[in-house]
Amino acid sequence: MRTFMKLAWRNLFRNKRRTLIAGTAIGIGLAALIFVDALILGMEENMVQSATSSFLGEGQIHRDGFRDTQEVEKTINDLEGTVAGLEQEEIVKRFTLRTLSFGIITSPANINSITLVGVNPETEKWLSEIDDAIREGSYFEEHTGQAIVIGSELAEILEVELGDRIVITVARAESGDLSQEMFRISGIYSFGIREMDTGLAFVSLDKAQEMLGIGSGVHEIAIKFTDPEYGRDETHPFWKKYSRNGNEAIGWTTLLPQLEAAFELSQFGIFITAIILFGVVALGIINTLFMSLHERMFEFGVLRAVGTRPGRMFQLILFEAAALAVLSIALGVILGFGITLASNISGIDYRGIEFAGVTFKELLHPVLTLKQFIVYPIALFLFTSFVAIYPAWYAARLAPAAVIRKSL
Amino acid sequence: MEVNAQTEIIVAEGVSKTYSDHGVPVSAVKEIDLTIRTEDFAAIVGPSGSGKTTFLNIISGLDTVTEGKVWLNGKLLSEMSGRELSDFRRDNIGFIFQAYNLIPVLSVEENIEYIMLLQGVPKSERHSKVNKILAELGLSGFENRMPTQLSGGQQQRVAVARAMVSNPSIILADEPTANLDSKTGAELLDLMRELNKTSGMTFVFSTHDPMVMERAHRLVTLKDGQVVSDEIRE
Ligand SMILES: Nc1ncnc2c1ncn2[C@@H]1O[C@H](COP(=O)(O)OP(=O)(O)OP(=O)(O)O)[C@@H](O)[C@H]1O
Ligand SMILES: [Mg+2]
């Protein structure tokens, strides 16, 4: 056994250039697979971050059916109990209460429909990035009830500036009567996302509740977890616990089904990359093994003549394939680690590019995981050994007399 | 047929071999009856294509017969499986080919001990046997050289060492001197003859070389796949 391992290892370095070329090709493939995996993970993290941190949160609670109809009356049931519960949850880092209602915003120059969001500025700033996106004015610094914060594009449509007055019209709960109120623009934000910059207007929670006539009711609780993965884990007991009393608690994968679909597509991309890589590996290994096998026919004849069993010849070729795999994997892991780490540190700039409805706002940092450096190399090793079975079988059943005669 | 395994190492009886060359049958060896006895130092000679290689391959179990029977040490080769034949060759036959006998990635010592490794001989025993045979063959000091660092004559001597080291009952050599100049070839033959005399090792080799034939103690001549003469010389 040891003898054949030694033989295999030395045989590998007989034609250094060929071994190096084959090993590098396979190594680059592995490095590419590692990098693509890391890139996609980084992209997912980035997209989830972008999508959830600007406004959505990683999870939300509503009254059942609110998301479909946005009826003003459908405020969260047992708000006190729910809030008290959330305050005790270990996995919940922050949460904030909101009202959401259709509304009309009117300026002297124009009129636009919006979603009026009633927020509690103190807690809202942890959940959404409106405070960070303020371009002019401030984010509810003066605590007057008449303050309103709108997006830059909406301001353009309405032809208004900071300090200008606008009128908001909403329908009250139960009666449906219209309720109108004058506000002063106290802040203008810009997210760079059209829907957010034209379609939302923020007022204080009390003011919104008063206009809507819903007392102290709210429509939405947005939640940030200690780890965004909780928002993805639909089996976590958290969701069941808060989907009671006619309320529903949902994670961002449900809120953003297109994101999850995009991630599935990415996984498919990795799968395809892996298939291509493994195809290249298969051809590379078979080609390399057969090339070296044909050069050594006579030697194989001698080995068989002096008493090497066919099974040992089989083993020898398998070991040679394994040695090539080990070498390639070492190259690939070093290369893959280097490239991925470098890009992780420097970050890749996709900012401003939109994908699956989400705009990248931060540098993309590929994510290194243990899986990339354990699962892929092991799979590659096993696959290589599997592919080598054919050349090994071929070598094992060479007729010694024939190969000796042919090669002299 | 009765085989006396004590004195008759190889017994070939009615051995024929027919190859198919693109569908055309080629008769390489025809109905050869030949017995190789202990301590023979026999040359198989004959023109090119007369069947020397074919016959050597058949009596060593590297090739199969089309007809006839071969006994080696009293065992009928055709009754053995591929694996049994491998082990049988390992334990009973030493091989020397015309050239490229040695595994290029193994050192002289590793080449010589290869068969003993297959046999599972312990390291210390391997080591002492290798040293002994290297000394006998005038190769001491070469144990760590790689085959490419040896001359053709030295390589053939290492091949002799490998063939002999595990003490097989017979050594078969197909044109062992064909790639050597006549002086080196003669030296190799003298060495083999010496080993044949001192250790009683049986040698069968094929050759074209008159100088080699001269040194043989038995001369088997083939023509068109048949034995045309078999003479013992002193
Ligand atoms: N695999 C094969 N297929 C077809 N014909 C073969 C095969 N092997 C040998 N022969 C034929 O069998 C005959 C005997 O060949 P063999 O090699 O035994 O002769 P030889 O005496 O060793 O010749 P040389 O002195 O040239 O080595 C030749 O005619 C050869 O062409
Ligand atoms: Mg020949």
Side-chain angles (χ1 to χ4, degrees):
Chain A
M1 188 93 163
R2 282 255 315 277
T3 313
F4 287 90
M5 283 183 170
K6 183 168 73 184
L7 255 178
W9 187 251
R10 291 193 195 165
N11 280 334
L12 190 63
F13 293 103
R14 260 161 97 161
N15 192 327
K16 290 198 185 67
R17 189 183 346 155
R18 182 170 61 209
T19 300
L20 204 70
I21 290 174
T24 309
I26 298 166
I28 288 176
L30 177 62
L33 187 61
I34 290 173
F35 180 72
V36 167
D37 189 279
L39 183 72
I40 286 178
L41 276 181
M43 203 161 96
E44 288 188 7
E45 258 185 26
N46 198 312
M47 286 169 76
V48 171
Q49 174 72 15
S50 289
T52 58
S53 69
S54 46
F55 184 66
L56 216 55
E58 289 150 8
Q60 295 184 350
I61 300 174
H62 306 103
R63 166 99 74 93
D64 273 339
F66 174 79
R67 287 197 303 140
D68 300 329
T69 59
Q70 296 238 359
E71 281 170 77
V72 178
E73 303 81 59
K74 291 199 169 166
T75 54
I76 290 172
N77 290 321
D78 183 26
L79 185 60
E80 246 170 69
T82 306
V83 166
L86 288 175
E87 270 163 358
Q88 300 303 313
E89 281 315 323
E90 295 234 320
I91 63 166
V92 172
K93 198 170 166 195
R94 308 270 180 195
F95 66 92
T96 190
L97 310 181
R98 296 168 179 159
T99 66
L100 294 169
S101 53
F102 292 123
I104 303 290
I105 187 164
T106 319
S107 75
N110 215 336
I111 180 165
N112 207 50
S113 70
I114 48 145
T115 297
L116 183 71
V117 190
V119 296
N120 177 347
E122 268 73 59
T123 51
E124 184 66 30
K125 69 176 179 215
W126 299 110
L127 261 295
S128 64
E129 287 169 344
I130 304 155
D131 51 324
D132 304 321
I134 294 287
R135 294 279 166 278
E136 285 178 72
S138 67
Y139 173 72
F140 296 109
E141 245 165 40
E142 347 91 70
H143 234 43
T144 72
Q146 300 311 121
I148 188 166
V149 175
I150 63 170
S152 54
E153 291 190 40
L154 183 59
E156 261 173 50
I157 292 168
L158 297 174
E159 297 175 26
V160 291
E161 287 178 0
L162 203 65
D164 286 354
R165 278 151 219 254
I166 50 94
V167 171
I168 296 281
T169 311
V170 293
R172 288 179 70 84
E174 311 299 345
S175 64
D177 291 345
L178 293 185
S179 153
Q180 268 191 340
E181 195 93 32
M182 172 118 63
F183 291 89
R184 249 170 50 107
I185 296 170
S186 66
I188 295 175
Y189 64 84
S190 172
F191 272 117
I193 303 174
R194 248 191 79 82
E195 298 87 71
M196 296 201 65
D197 290 347
T198 57
L200 298 177
F202 295 86
V203 298
S204 76
L205 187 63
D206 329 341
K207 193 75 209 167
Q209 286 166 334
E210 180 195 320
M211 283 180 77
L212 295 170
I214 52 175
S216 60
V218 302
H219 298 121
E220 176 170 294
I221 303 177
I223 299 156
K224 193 183 178 76
F225 295 107
T226 50
D227 180 343
E229 280 301 306
Y230 288 120
R232 199 174 191 169
D233 178 10
E234 286 170 7
T235 59
H236 198 280
F238 177 87
W239 306 113
K240 250 208 163 129
K241 183 170 171 191
Y242 289 91
S243 296
R244 271 196 305 214
N245 301 327
N247 293 337
E248 63 164 359
I250 47 178
W252 61 260
T253 51
T254 316
L255 291 165
L256 294 167
Q258 78 275 22
L259 257 198
E260 196 62 7
F263 293 170
E264 265 159 36
L265 194 70
S266 312
Q267 289 304 320
F268 186 67
I270 295 181
F271 181 68
I272 295 291
T273 310
I275 291 210
I276 292 172
L277 164 70
F278 282 43
V280 169
V281 169
L283 294 177
I285 299 260
I286 290 185
N287 184 45
T288 307
L289 289 180
F290 267 112
M291 255 157 62
S292 79
L293 219 141
H294 278 290
E295 279 168 13
R296 291 183 290 156
M297 281 301 195
F298 185 78
E299 198 177 312
F300 279 52
V302 171
L303 284 173
R304 291 280 283 110
V306 302
T308 314
R309 292 175 185 165
R312 291 293 197 174
M313 304 304 294
F314 186 88
Q315 221 177 48
L316 177 65
I317 300 296
L318 275 196
F319 284 161
E320 288 185 17
L324 180 60
V326 166
L327 190 83
S328 314
I329 286 169
L331 274 171
V333 162
I334 292 170
L335 200 66
F337 183 74
I339 293 172
T340 313
L341 187 69
S343 63
N344 173 279
I345 292 167
S346 67
I348 298 169
D349 196 353
Y350 272 155
R351 282 176 297 192
I353 292 172
E354 196 190 303
F355 178 59
V358 176
T359 310
F360 292 102
K361 294 197 301 175
E362 310 272 339
L363 284 178
L364 201 157
H365 297 279
V367 178
L368 292 146
T369 64
L370 220 52
K371 173 193 142 198
Q372 292 154 357
F373 295 93
I374 291 177
V375 174
Y376 292 144
I378 288 178
L380 189 61
F381 182 84
L382 293 179
F383 181 75
T384 305
S385 309
F386 173 74
V387 163
I389 287 176
Y390 173 53
W393 176 78
Y394 182 90
R397 49 183 290 284
L398 287 172
V403 294
I404 286 170
R405 185 190 293 277
K406 255 188 237 152
S407 19
L408 257 190
Chain B
M1 160 147 190
E2 275 295 303
V3 175
N4 182 345
Q6 296 299 303
T7 57
E8 299 174 337
I9 293 182
I10 293 173
V11 176
E13 187 197 48
V15 166
S16 295
K17 178 75 184 182
T18 309
Y19 290 107
S20 155
D21 186 8
H22 301 282
V24 183
V26 179
S27 190
V29 157
K30 287 173 221 156
E31 289 174 21
I32 292 186
D33 297 315
L34 192 74
T35 300
I36 305 291
R37 288 172 215 95
T38 321
E39 295 182 31
D40 265 359
F41 193 71
I44 297 184
V45 301
S48 186
S50 58
K52 304 183 292 291
T53 298
T54 305
F55 185 64
L56 282 177
N57 285 345
I58 284 173
I59 61 175
S60 59
L62 286 180
D63 209 345
T64 55
V65 293
T66 313
E67 251 170 88
K69 285 173 178 167
V70 178
W71 286 265
L72 210 158
N73 278 349
K75 287 205 70 173
L76 191 56
L77 294 186
S78 54
E79 282 178 349
M80 284 191 246
S81 71
R83 184 181 161 136
E84 280 173 330
L85 267 177
S86 292
D87 290 358
F88 190 77
R89 282 200 299 270
R90 180 193 70 195
D91 298 337
N92 295 281
I93 310 173
F95 281 91
I96 305 167
F97 297 97
Q98 178 177 327
Y100 312 112
N101 274 285
L102 307 178
I103 305 305
V105 294
L106 299 181
S107 69
V108 167
E109 176 166 7
E110 288 166 336
N111 262 290
I112 295 175
E113 69 172 0
Y114 178 80
I115 292 163
M116 291 190 286
L117 271 167
L118 293 182
Q119 289 172 327
V121 175
K123 191 181 166 83
S124 58
E125 192 183 333
R126 290 199 311 262
H127 196 72
S128 68
K129 279 194 171 172
V130 168
N131 282 341
K132 184 161 165 275
I133 197 111
L134 283 174
E136 264 178 64
L137 270 62
L139 288 164
S140 294
F142 286 88
E143 43 273 73
N144 293 322
R145 293 246 195 135
M146 297 311 276
T148 49
Q149 299 170 317
L150 300 176
S151 72
Q154 288 166 338
Q155 286 181 24
Q156 287 306 76
R157 269 193 285 160
V158 174
V160 173
R162 180 186 65 191
M164 292 193 60
V165 73
S166 56
N167 220 10
S169 31
I170 186 167
I171 290 179
L172 298 174
D174 192 6
E175 309 204 31
T177 61
N179 276 35
L180 304 177
D181 62 59
S182 55
K183 182 170 166 282
T184 319
E187 280 169 12
L188 186 75
L189 247 287
D190 289 341
L191 172 73
M192 283 162 55
R193 179 69 175 130
E194 189 61 31
L195 294 165
N196 167 251
K197 277 185 190 157
T198 54
S199 64
M201 186 84 69
T202 309
F203 281 82
V204 178
F205 46 91
S206 71
T207 188
H208 282 300
D209 188 344
M211 179 274 301
V212 174
M213 294 178 209
E214 213 168 84
R215 287 169 162 80
H217 130 172
R218 183 178 171 192
L219 209 59
V220 178
T221 311
L222 296 187
K223 190 163 180 279
D224 296 331
Q226 286 176 309
V227 179
V228 290
S229 83
D230 180 359
E231 44 179 320
I232 309 270
R233 314 181 322 166
E234 287 315 319

